[in-house]
Amino acid sequence: MVVGLYRLHWMTKVGSPDLQRFGGTCYSVHGAHVATVVTTSVFTKPAAQYAATNGIRLFDEAALAAWATHTGPAPWAL
């Protein structure tokens, strides 16, 4: 499993270029079987589309809060 972490201001979104950089190395360089990106913010629609197309799991601020309060799954359990 390869996890990318983005700690951002709540108004800053993780965009497609961020996911493309992560996606460009997670499988070929790092040999990921599971690729997940976790952020304290949110993802743009193009970033979510890129992730869906390339098998990258996304875990945003809402999912992170749910995990922290034991009302949602951990990033590696999606």
Side-chain angles (χ1 to χ4, degrees), residues 44 55-56 69:
T44 64
I56 299 171
T69 59

Side-chain angles (χ1 to χ4, degrees), residues 57-78:
R57 298 175 181 186
L58 300 181
F59 205 76
D60 65 7
E61 63 180 345
L64 192 58
W67 173 56
T69 59
H70 305 287
T71 58
W76 52 86
L78 294 174

